[in-house]
């Protein structure tokens, strides 16, 4: 079955309100190839999380503000999640999504040696959005994100993983595939084609 033949059934009947994209080593380059394809009419919320050294201020929102058609900003504590926005997790804090669909920042211990951790964001988002979310896991050199993807799948959300064979670092997508059998395993070009389709109806 081709990638295009797999995508149709995976999207059937879904209305995606939140897209969470996680990555680590190589993730900036991957996102540069993904986020600019989202049109100004895109209606879902997008939250991106990359591993950022805790002692260094994240400039990711500024970087992608120049490249994306949608408005981009760093997620803020207690902020309501708005449609048609791209948010980035900042450095030094875990980013969670609360049941009332607001952001929460915390200083709890690192998960998989990371803070912010992809697992924390994906697991909390899955609990808040259930089937109305999609999770995308990109290139990365550790196992952060595998537990989060499993939670998303358990809660009925759509799970998409970058093909490890073409990822700059294969450990992260490979572990997610091993652990939770994601709905779609796609090359970056396939994720780029799919991303604009992941929106609320």
């Amino acid at each position: 079955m081709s990638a295009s033949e797999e995508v149709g059934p995976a999207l059937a009947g879904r209305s995606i309100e939140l897209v969470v994209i996680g990555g680590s080593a190589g993730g900036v380059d991957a996102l540069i190839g993904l986020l600019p394809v989202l049109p100004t009419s895109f209606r879902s919320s997008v939250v991106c999380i990359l591993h950022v050294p805790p002692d260094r201020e994240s400039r990711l929102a500024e970087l992608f503000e120049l490249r994306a058609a949608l408005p981009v900003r760093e997620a803020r504590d207690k902020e309501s999640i708005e449609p048609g926005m791209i948010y980035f997790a900042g450095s030094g804090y875990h980013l969670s999504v609360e049941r009332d669909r607001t952001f929460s920042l915390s200083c709890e211990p690192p998960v998989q040696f990371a803070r912010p951790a992809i697992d924390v964001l994906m697991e909390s988002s899955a609990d808040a959005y259930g089937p109305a979310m999609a999770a995308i896991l990109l290139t990365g050199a550790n196992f952060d994100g595998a537990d989060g993807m499993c939670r998303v799948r358990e809660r009925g959300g759509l799970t998409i993983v970058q093909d490890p064979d073409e990822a700059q670092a294969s450990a992260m997508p490979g572990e997610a595939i091993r652990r939770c059998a994601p709905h779609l395993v796609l090359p970056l070009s396939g994720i780029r084609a799919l991303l604009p389709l992941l929106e609320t109806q």
Side-chain angles (χ1 to χ4, degrees):
M1 183 181 292
S2 68
S4 59
E5 289 173 319
E6 293 179 76
V7 166
L11 291 179
R14 292 186 180 273
S15 182
I16 303 297
E17 298 176 34
L18 178 72
V19 181
V20 174
I21 306 175
S24 186
V28 172
D29 288 340
L31 284 178
I32 286 173
L34 293 177
L35 295 183
V37 306
L38 293 173
T40 55
S41 59
F42 191 76
R43 298 185 297 275
S44 298
S45 310
V46 180
V47 185
C48 301
I49 179 166
L50 300 176
H51 291 161
V52 179
D55 58 347
R56 186 182 309 165
E57 182 181 358
S58 174
R59 313 292 285 206
L60 292 170
E62 295 175 29
L63 172 67
F64 283 93
E65 187 177 25
L66 303 174
R67 289 175 163 82
L70 292 173
V72 180
R73 68 170 176 255
E74 189 169 298
R76 300 185 288 247
D77 193 41
K78 311 304 181 189
E79 177 181 19
S80 295
I81 300 173
E82 299 177 16
M85 288 285 303
I86 298 173
Y87 299 94
F88 274 86
S91 61
Y93 296 90
H94 286 308
L95 178 65
S96 301
V97 173
E98 301 296 331
R99 299 292 182 118
D100 63 357
R101 300 185 177 184
T102 60
F103 288 122
S104 177
L105 301 180
S106 73
C107 291
E108 294 173 5
V111 174
Q112 293 287 346
F113 309 103
R115 189 175 65 201
I118 300 167
D119 282 333
V120 172
L121 176 59
M122 286 190 175
E123 289 174 357
S124 62
S125 298
D127 291 341
Y129 281 83
M133 77 163 289
I136 300 173
L137 193 63
L138 302 172
T139 174
N142 73 1
F143 293 162
D144 189 20
D147 285 343
M149 295 290 278
C150 291
R151 179 77 65 85
V152 172
R153 176 129 195 175
E154 288 168 4
R155 296 291 189 269
L158 179 64
T159 50
I160 303 143
V161 172
Q162 183 180 3
D163 185 344
D165 289 340
E166 63 133 49
Q168 182 173 321
S170 63
M172 184 178 288
E175 181 68 5
I177 292 168
R178 187 186 72 80
R179 291 273 306 280
C180 71
H183 294 95
L184 296 168
V185 177
L186 299 171
L188 203 61
S189 60
I191 298 174
R192 185 164 53 246
L194 174 66
L195 191 56
L197 306 178
L198 299 179
E199 62 178 327
T200 186
Q201 303 302 311

